[in-house]
Amino acid sequence: DAKTTQPTSMDCAEGRAANLPCNHSTISGNEYVYWYRQIHSQGPQYIIHGLKNNETNEMASLIITEDRKSSTLILPHATLRDTAVYYCIVRVGGATNKLIFGTGTLLAVQP
Amino acid sequence: GAVVSQHPSWVICKSGTSVKIECRSLDFQATTMFWYRQFPKQSLMLMATSNEGSKATYEQGVEKDKFLINHASLTLSTLTVTSAHPEDSSFYICSASLTSGLIYNEQFFGPGTRLTVL
């Protein structure tokens, strides 16, 4: 599976949009981009995933560049409860395919 | 959404004893479950992939005789830490994937089990 690069930490003001970048320059054509987050001392939570089109759900939007070498997770209106470590992972789709977690980005939402 | 539970949520044991952690998919069937370990201020590290009815596949560097994994049904996988030592103290997290024909099944994670070995 391709590796990803994310900033170590980011700050965001409450109520503003949080834009979390991820570089995955070696992504293969059959690899999806997944985003998970982990609030302190809890299990990771699935946020969103995509292959090449932009995706949106009730939690976030995922913007993938045309060359698929990078993506951005957007939380449109960050709240204090969105403070967490956000992980960008690329992997081939399939129920039996494992997720390999990198170091992620610690997003701190400030009041 | 799909719910995964773990039991116990925390456990304290003496060095040399064995500890069993259960992972259950409550409202769906999971052919494959995964076990992770997380040390303080570090990321999740995959330990093994557990497949129902067959032997688990361990990641490099993970001792299969120390971390026994059993996946006896489509809703239950167990991790037993045998002869636990203080260095095994960690946050153990399981996840499960929906059993379906979709190729982009996300994994659903349990809340984790904090193990402290004295």
Side-chain angles (χ1 to χ4, degrees):
Chain A
D1 291 336
K3 293 186 183 299
T4 63
T5 304
Q6 298 178 253
T8 303
S9 63
M10 293 180 64
D11 286 347
C12 175
E14 188 177 18
R16 305 297 292 267
N19 296 280
L20 292 93
C22 178
N23 285 319
H24 32 79
S25 59
T26 60
I27 191 170
S28 300
N30 61 346
E31 287 182 314
Y32 289 76
V33 180
Y34 289 81
W35 283 84
Y36 283 79
R37 73 179 183 183
Q38 185 180 26
I39 295 170
H40 183 62
S41 294
Q42 297 183 23
Q45 176 189 21
Y46 166 82
I47 301 173
I48 199 167
H49 74 274
L51 183 61
K52 52 185 177 181
N53 297 322
N54 297 338
E55 302 288 344
T56 296
N57 62 22
E58 64 277 5
M59 289 184 66
S61 295
L62 173 61
I63 308 298
I64 303 174
T65 57
E66 192 169 342
D67 62 8
R68 302 186 71 236
K69 293 185 177 182
S70 65
S71 60
T72 301
L73 178 74
I74 302 173
L75 307 180
H77 305 287
T79 70
L80 298 179
R81 287 177 295 181
D82 291 322
T83 293
V85 177
Y86 288 76
Y87 297 98
C88 168
I89 303 168
V90 293
R91 68 150 179 156
V92 177
T96 59
N97 291 316
K98 53 193 178 184
L99 291 168
I100 303 299
F101 285 79
T103 54
T105 296
L106 173 58
L107 174 68
V109 180
Q110 309 291 344
Chain B
V3 178
V4 175
S5 70
Q6 284 184 238
H7 178 79
S9 56
W10 60 270
V11 56
I12 301 173
C13 70
K14 293 182 179 180
S15 184
T17 61
S18 295
V19 175
K20 180 185 285 188
I21 302 170
E22 293 185 349
C23 176
R24 294 182 183 272
S25 55
L26 297 185
D27 50 2
F28 67 101
Q29 293 185 328
T31 302
T32 303
M33 291 184 174
F34 303 85
W35 287 96
Y36 296 82
R37 179 168 55 180
Q38 186 176 33
F39 293 108
K41 299 189 183 300
Q42 294 187 22
S43 186
L44 284 80
M45 184 193 79
L46 179 66
M47 298 176 66
T49 302
S50 169
N51 295 297
E52 185 265 340
S54 64
K55 292 183 179 180
T57 302
Y58 291 82
E59 295 298 302
Q60 190 172 8
V62 178
E63 300 175 58
K64 62 180 181 180
D65 294 330
K66 180 169 183 63
F67 300 99
L68 302 179
I69 292 173
N70 182 279
H71 193 158
S73 77
L74 287 173
T75 60
L76 173 64
S77 177
T78 60
L79 168 68
T80 300
V81 183
T82 63
S83 186
H85 288 94
E87 57 265 32
D88 298 322
S89 298
S90 188
F91 192 48
Y92 291 86
I93 307 169
C94 72
S95 70
S97 288
L98 287 165
T99 300
S100 75
L102 295 175
I103 64 171
Y104 47 80
N105 296 27
E106 63 265 31
Q107 289 184 25
F108 298 94
F109 285 80
T113 296
R114 187 160 303 281
L115 170 64
T116 302
V117 184
L118 302 177

